[in-house]
Amino acid sequence: MAGRPVSWIQLIGLGFLVTVVAVKGVIAVEPGESREFTPYHEILDQVLTHWPPHFPKSQELSGKSKEVPIQVQVWSTPNDSDYIGLQKRMMIHAPIDGVDKVMSDFEHYVELFPEFKEVRVLKKDADGILTRWERPIPFPFVPDVYYENIYQVDRTQSDRRVFRVRLKESNRVWKSDDLLVIEAKGPSLTQFTVFSFFKADWGPVIILGSGKIWRDSIEGSVLSDLSFKLRSEHPDWNSEKLQSERVKLIPEHFVDEVFDQRQVFDLGEIVPALRTPPSKPTPSPAPSPAPSPAPS
């Protein structure tokens, strides 16, 4: 692959963060088809109900990191240090239909993400599209990572497309909930917003520490989104050109700076309307007046 190599850690969440399908209307997923929901499935429903979300704060980035064309907020889950959360937003200089077309082109996903051994459609019918992703692991005696995802999309609004991605089955990924929305901001301008929360069995890489896992996951997810941006803006670029150019957009310290600003997830920061109002202190009762002395 041209440019910076991408580790397998970075690619664990790649399928969740970047894969979508072209399906008319809203696809209903039968109960029992996918794994047990994490709390984030209901949380993302609330985010969508109160769309657009708030980006918690302006990133305090330095130097060339300020020029990266994507905002990233990293969310940690209370009492679960392995549960990775990302909120991202960027502008794509292409019409919404063109962005949608690139994101729906499964047949060429391996060109966008050549680190994968396979990306294929398992089932495509009125109930939706099921895809399988397989990635080699560079450790002896460790089986390849695979996962199958169910995709939903709402195209009822011409200027907005809503994608939901849910994990159906995997040998190494335990939980995943994603919400991705693209919105037309002009004839040739599309805003791309994604929320992704996932947890996996990191295998032998866990010895490198939680920080390594988080940083590689952040970098892999950003690279994947930039692949969509660059393919939409430069449809004539070949795979090698795209891979090398997306790496150039991420300066050396960007991932570290984003990771250092990680916050504990707070729905009220994203949807201010759902922010819990501060409790008002209960006023203390006024003291009873002292009794008047009895006349002598």
Side-chain angles (χ1 to χ4, degrees):
M1 184 187 87
R4 184 183 307 165
V6 179
S7 75
W8 80 270
I9 299 175
Q10 295 171 326
L11 293 156
I12 283 288
L14 188 59
F16 312 120
L17 298 171
V18 305
T19 58
V20 290
V21 301
V23 182
K24 186 176 181 180
V26 180
I27 302 171
V29 178
E30 293 297 326
E33 268 197 44
S34 54
R35 286 173 176 251
E36 181 181 355
F37 294 149
T38 70
Y40 286 111
H41 182 76
E42 295 182 6
I43 287 172
L44 293 180
D45 284 342
Q46 295 183 68
V47 172
L48 183 58
T49 299
H50 294 85
W51 199 266
H54 173 66
F55 221 88
K57 65 177 182 179
S58 298
Q59 293 288 342
E60 299 172 0
L61 303 176
S62 62
K64 292 185 177 181
S65 292
K66 295 179 180 179
E67 302 173 7
V68 177
I70 185 169
Q71 291 178 274
V72 184
Q73 176 62 53
V74 182
W75 294 111
S76 62
T77 299
N79 305 316
D80 197 339
S81 61
D82 296 332
Y83 211 140
I84 294 174
L86 297 167
Q87 177 182 356
K88 295 171 292 176
R89 182 173 63 190
M90 68 179 176
M91 302 303 294
I92 300 177
H93 296 274
I96 188 171
D97 289 338
V99 177
D100 194 348
K101 181 179 179 181
V102 169
M103 296 168 65
S104 305
D105 189 7
F106 283 94
E107 288 74 14
H108 294 92
Y109 265 24
V110 175
E111 296 177 13
L112 290 180
F113 317 114
E115 301 86 3
F116 281 92
K117 178 191 295 184
E118 181 180 56
V119 181
R120 63 188 173 97
V121 174
L122 297 179
K123 183 175 67 172
K124 185 176 182 180
D125 55 27
D127 294 325
I129 295 182
L130 176 66
T131 61
R132 178 184 173 94
W133 297 67
E134 188 171 348
R135 160 71 180 174
I137 301 300
F139 290 95
F141 312 112
V142 178
D144 294 347
V145 171
Y146 83 87
Y147 38 85
E148 298 177 5
N149 294 332
I150 298 172
Y151 300 92
Q152 303 169 284
V153 61
D154 182 353
R155 284 204 176 92
T156 55
Q157 300 182 40
S158 62
D159 61 348
R160 189 178 84 168
R161 316 287 163 80
V162 178
F163 304 96
R164 299 298 298 266
V165 187
R166 291 165 58 183
L167 178 67
K168 183 179 188 296
E169 181 180 319
S170 175
N171 64 340
R172 301 290 291 278
V173 182
W174 307 142
K175 297 179 180 179
S176 176
D177 287 296
D178 299 270
L179 168 65
L180 188 152
V181 179
I182 56 175
E183 301 169 273
K185 296 299 181 179
S188 298
L189 189 64
T190 302
Q191 181 169 280
F192 175 106
T193 305
V194 61
F195 291 85
S196 184
F197 298 89
F198 58 94
K199 181 176 180 179
D201 172 8
W202 303 111
V205 183
I206 197 69
I207 64 174
L208 300 178
S210 176
K212 170 67 171 174
I213 292 171
W214 275 82
R215 287 178 173 86
D216 279 1
S217 297
I218 293 166
E219 185 173 4
S221 69
V222 170
L223 286 170
S224 70
D225 293 341
L226 292 175
S227 291
F228 281 130
K229 173 180 173 66
L230 294 179
R231 173 62 77 205
S232 300
E233 294 178 350
H234 305 279
D236 57 324
W237 283 4
N238 60 27
S239 179
E240 289 74 18
K241 174 75 170 175
L242 186 147
Q243 304 305 317
S244 63
E245 291 298 324
R246 69 175 186 172
V247 170
K248 295 177 183 178
L249 295 175
I250 304 179
E252 183 178 359
H253 300 294
F254 173 74
V255 172
D256 290 333
E257 291 188 56
V258 169
F259 173 73
D260 290 341
Q261 297 182 50
R262 178 175 51 165
Q263 300 180 38
V264 175
F265 182 79
D266 182 355
L267 181 59
E269 287 294 313
I270 298 171
V271 183
L274 299 179
R275 188 173 295 163
T276 304
S279 56
K280 296 181 180 179
T282 304
S284 302
S288 301
S292 301
S296 53

